[in-house]
Amino acid sequence: MKYSRSRLIFLLVTFVFSLTLILGLKMPSYAILQSCQIKGFRLYGKVQIVDVFPDIKIQAVNSNPDLRVKIVDDNPNECGEWQIVQTFPNYKVKFVEAFPDLKIQFVNNSPGIPRSQ
């Protein structure tokens, strides 16, 4: 009986640890966002919206974003500034409803990492 209880505890701890790792990999890291990068891509520049083979999966939200995005016509040089293009993008994004790499909020001013981060 003692062996089975310790084995059960071991399995439970292993399961919780594994679940934490899996969920942690899906959430953007504070350190990555501080440098305005995720998955090796700068979070500003020329962006193409695609349906297949995205570099980053994003979800548009109204509150608690990881990044505030401002759409600009040219010179997207600051964190959170995106210029939507059809050719020669810096990276490609796909809008998803679940399991995003990054949650964004579209804004008219003050793009970048929210101060609450």
Side-chain angles (χ1 to χ4, degrees), residues 29-113:
S29 167
Y30 175 73
I32 292 171
L33 288 176
Q34 280 300 98
S35 64
C36 202
Q37 292 186 6
I38 191 167
K39 297 174 75 174
F41 296 99
R42 299 174 307 185
L43 295 174
Y44 56 92
K46 297 179 179 182
V47 178
Q48 182 180 9
I49 300 170
V50 297
D51 291 326
V52 294
F53 306 118
D55 297 314
I56 303 171
K57 293 180 283 184
I58 60 173
Q59 180 180 12
V61 297
N62 293 321
S63 60
N64 299 323
D66 299 318
L67 179 70
R68 294 167 46 101
V69 172
K70 178 180 179 182
I71 303 298
V72 297
D73 292 328
D74 55 0
N75 299 325
N77 298 327
E78 300 292 325
C79 184
E81 289 184 348
W82 288 7
Q83 179 182 357
I84 305 299
V85 298
Q86 295 299 318
T87 57
F88 307 112
N90 297 117
Y91 56 95
K92 299 173 186 176
V93 299
K94 177 181 179 179
F95 284 92
V96 297
E97 293 296 320
F99 305 110
D101 296 318
L102 186 68
K103 293 180 181 180
I104 66 166
Q105 179 181 18
F106 290 106
V107 296
N108 293 323
N109 52 35
S110 301
I113 309 299

Side-chain angles (χ1 to χ4, degrees), residues 1-57:
M1 186 71 172
K2 195 173 192 179
Y3 175 75
S4 63
R5 179 181 285 167
S6 63
R7 182 165 174 86
L8 179 63
I9 291 171
F10 172 78
L11 290 174
L12 181 62
V13 168
T14 304
F15 174 75
V16 170
F17 180 74
S18 300
L19 186 62
T20 303
L21 282 177
I22 290 169
L23 292 177
L25 293 176
K26 284 292 183 185
M27 300 179 76
S29 167
Y30 175 73
I32 292 171
L33 288 176
Q34 280 300 98
S35 64
C36 202
Q37 292 186 6
I38 191 167
K39 297 174 75 174
F41 296 99
R42 299 174 307 185
L43 295 174
Y44 56 92
K46 297 179 179 182
V47 178
Q48 182 180 9
I49 300 170
V50 297
D51 291 326
V52 294
F53 306 118
D55 297 314
I56 303 171
K57 293 180 283 184

